[in-house]
C-alpha cells in the first residue's frame, strides 16, 4: 500500500489499472420479486457482474467478522466513505479503519457546506496531514452539502492545496448549477481544473434539474456524452502520471430513493421508475470502454515516439 495519501498503489509491478467497485449504499433496496437481496446475495450479484470491490461506510464493529468473511470469499477490495469535520474526527476514523484492517482508501465527504475560504483550506490540509501520517490513501469527494458544495470554491481548494486529490462526481455540480446540455466553456474550464486531480470517479449522471437520471437501456441520453467526456479526461489525466501498481477507482453510485426518481403504483406504494441495478451495470460498461480507449491511446502515442 502507498506510504502517503496522494495516490493509491498496491506495491506491485502491475500496469496501472482500473478498479471497478460497487457502492454498497447503491445496493439498498435492490432485489427480486419484491424481496431485497440478503447481504451475501448482494455480494454474489456484485461479483457475478464483474466488480472487484465494494465502496461503503465503515461497518459496525459487531459486523466486522461477516464483512471479512464475505470480502475474503469474493476476493473483494474495500474502500470506505467518511464524513469528517475536524482533524480529531479524522484521527478517530483512521483508528477505526486500522481496526477493521481491510481499507484500500478513504473517500471523505468533508462536513460541512458552511465551512468556506481559508477555514476550509486549513481543514482540508489538516485532514490530509492526518491520513498521510497514518499512511492511508485519502481522497476528497466533490459533493453537494459538504465543504465541496459548489464548483468554484472547490477549484479554489485545488489551487491552494497541491496535495489534494479528488473523487470526481460532477453530477453534483451539474444539478447544483443547473448546467444542462449547454454546459458552457466557463464551467468546462473549471471542470478541467478538478479533473487534473482525479484519484477516482463516482458515476452518476445528472441534468440541470435532477441529480440522478435514467439514461435508458443503451445510454443514449443527451447528458451521457458530457459525462463520458469528463470521465475520459479524468482517466487520461490520471493515467499520464501513473506508475506500476497504481489503481484508479471507478464506482457506480446510483442512490436509492430519494436520489432515485419514484412514483406511486396503483396500491399507493412508492416505486422507482428505473432499474437501478441495470443502470449501474451500464455505467460499469461505459467505464470499461473508456478505460480501453485511454490505454490504447497512450500506447499509440508511446509507439509513435
Amino acid at each position: 500500500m502507498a506510504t502517503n495519501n496522494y495516490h493509491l498503489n498496491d506495491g506491485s509491478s502491475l500496469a496501472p489499472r482500473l478498479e471497478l467497485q460497487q457502492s454498497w449504499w447503491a445496493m439498498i433496496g435492490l432485489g427480486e420479486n419484491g424481496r431485497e437481496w440478503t447481504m451475501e446475495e448482494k455480494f454474489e450479484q456484485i461479483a457475478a457482474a464483474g466488480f472487484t470491490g465494494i465502496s461503503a461506510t465503515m461497518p459496525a464493529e459487531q459486523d466486522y467478522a461477516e464483512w471479512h468473511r464475505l470480502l475474503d470469499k469474493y476476493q473483494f477490495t474495500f474502500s470506505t466513505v467518511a464524513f469528517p469535520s475536524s482533524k480529531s474526527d479524522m484521527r478517530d476514523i483512521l483508528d477505526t479503519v486500522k481496526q477493521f484492517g481491510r481499507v484500500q482508501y478513504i473517500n471523505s465527504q468533508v462536513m460541512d457546506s458552511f465551512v468556506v475560504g481559508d477555514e476550509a483550506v486549513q481543514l482540508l490540509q489538516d485532514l490530509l496531514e492526518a491520513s498521510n501520517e497514518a499512511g492511508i490513501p485519502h481522497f476528497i469527494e466533490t459533493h453537494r452539502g459538504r465543504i465541496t458544495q459548489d464548483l468554484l470554491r472547490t477549484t479554489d481548494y485545488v489551487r491552494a492545496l497541491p496535495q489534494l486529490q479528488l473523487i470526481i462526481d460532477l453530477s453534483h455540480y451539474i444539478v447544483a448549477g443547473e448546467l444542462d446540455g449547454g454546459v458552457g466553456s466557463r464551467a468546462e474550464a473549471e471542470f478541467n481544473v478538478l479533473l487534473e486531480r482525479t484519484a477516482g470517479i463516482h458515476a452518476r449522471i445528472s441534468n440541470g434539474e435532477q441529480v440522478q437520471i435514467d439514461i435508458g437501456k443503451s445510454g443514449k441520453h443527451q447528458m451521457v456524452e458530457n459525462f463520458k467526456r469528463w470521465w475520459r479526461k479524468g482517466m487520461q489525466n490520471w493515467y499520464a502520471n501513473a506508475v506500476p501498481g497504481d489503481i484508479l477507482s471507478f464506482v457506480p453510485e446510483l442512490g436509492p430513493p430519494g436520489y432515485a426518481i419514484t412514483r406511486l403504483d396503483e396500491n399507493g406504494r412508492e416505486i422507482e421508475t428505473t432499474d437501478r441495478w441495470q443502470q449501474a451495470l451500464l455505467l460499469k460498461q461505459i467505464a470499461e470502454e473508456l478505460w480501453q480507449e485511454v490505454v490504447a491511446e497512450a500506447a499509440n502515442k508511446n509507439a509513435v515516439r
Side-chain angles (χ1 to χ4, degrees):
M1 192 61 68
T3 57
N4 63 53
N5 67 316
Y6 304 147
H7 69 291
L8 179 61
N9 185 287
D10 66 0
S12 74
S13 59
L14 294 173
R17 67 189 188 273
L18 185 70
E19 170 95 47
L20 291 158
Q21 297 184 329
Q22 169 62 357
S23 165
W24 193 245
W25 171 67
M27 299 300 290
I28 292 173
L30 296 186
E32 297 173 290
N33 303 318
R35 182 184 66 85
E36 183 170 356
W37 291 321
T38 66
M39 181 177 180
E40 183 148 6
E41 285 173 335
K42 290 177 181 179
F43 269 77
E44 291 172 356
Q45 291 290 334
I46 293 168
F51 291 100
T52 57
I54 286 175
S55 170
T57 55
M58 287 301 300
E61 187 173 354
Q62 64 267 25
D63 297 329
Y64 282 6
E66 181 65 359
W67 272 90
H68 286 177
R69 181 185 75 81
L70 291 171
L71 290 169
D72 287 340
K73 179 177 179 178
Y74 294 95
Q75 298 183 305
F76 278 171
T77 58
F78 178 87
S79 64
T80 195
V81 183
F83 305 88
S85 60
S86 67
K87 194 168 187 176
S88 176
D89 277 353
M90 195 69 234
R91 286 177 174 148
D92 290 342
I93 291 163
L94 290 163
D95 286 344
T96 302
V97 162
K98 289 178 178 179
Q99 182 182 2
F100 185 71
R102 297 292 302 264
V103 177
Q104 186 186 52
Y105 67 91
I106 299 170
N107 166 33
S108 279
Q109 297 180 19
V110 181
M111 307 302 288
D112 61 25
S113 59
F114 293 96
V115 180
V116 298
D118 292 343
E119 182 184 1
V121 171
Q122 185 61 55
L123 174 56
L124 288 168
Q125 183 171 315
D126 287 346
L127 300 180
L128 295 175
E129 285 178 356
S131 55
N132 195 37
E133 290 165 5
I136 297 175
H138 179 202
F139 312 122
I140 307 300
E141 184 175 352
T142 60
H143 201 292
R144 294 169 302 148
R146 310 292 188 258
I147 206 170
T148 52
Q149 163 74 15
D150 64 68
L151 173 60
L152 295 179
R153 76 168 78 169
T154 306
T155 54
D156 283 346
Y157 304 153
V158 164
R159 294 182 176 106
L161 295 167
Q163 73 274 38
L164 177 61
Q165 300 294 319
L166 301 173
I167 299 295
I168 296 292
D169 185 347
L170 298 182
S171 68
H172 293 287
Y173 296 148
I174 293 297
V175 70
E178 290 196 331
L179 301 172
D180 54 15
V183 173
S185 59
R186 292 189 65 182
E188 197 78 27
E190 299 299 322
F191 285 169
N192 286 336
V193 172
L194 302 185
L195 291 168
E196 289 174 3
R197 301 291 184 88
T198 301
I201 296 169
H202 276 197
R204 180 190 306 110
I205 293 178
S206 62
N207 58 22
E209 308 299 337
Q210 299 160 330
V211 72
Q212 182 171 301
I213 63 171
D214 186 342
I215 61 172
K217 293 182 178 180
S218 58
K220 297 301 184 183
H221 190 281
Q222 63 180 4
M223 286 300 294
V224 171
E225 290 305 313
N226 285 321
F227 278 85
K228 287 171 67 175
R229 180 176 70 256
W230 298 322
W231 295 341
R232 183 188 293 109
K233 184 67 173 178
M235 290 177 179
Q236 289 171 330
N237 290 341
W238 181 90
Y239 195 78
N241 297 296
V243 299
D246 276 358
I247 301 167
L248 176 69
S249 178
F250 187 97
V251 183
E253 195 193 30
L254 300 178
Y259 268 68
I261 298 173
T262 61
R263 65 176 177 83
L264 296 181
D265 68 10
E266 60 274 10
N267 297 313
R269 296 174 298 189
E270 185 180 33
I271 60 172
E272 297 181 45
T273 60
T274 188
D275 187 328
R276 184 158 35 99
W277 178 238
Q278 292 302 317
Q279 292 276 287
L281 299 184
L282 179 54
L283 294 176
K284 173 180 175 289
Q285 177 186 330
I286 289 171
E288 291 167 330
E289 292 170 354
L290 292 175
W291 179 250
Q292 290 172 0
E293 292 172 9
V294 167
V295 173
E297 178 185 72
N300 289 337
K301 286 182 179 178
N302 289 333
V304 170
R305 292 174 183 170

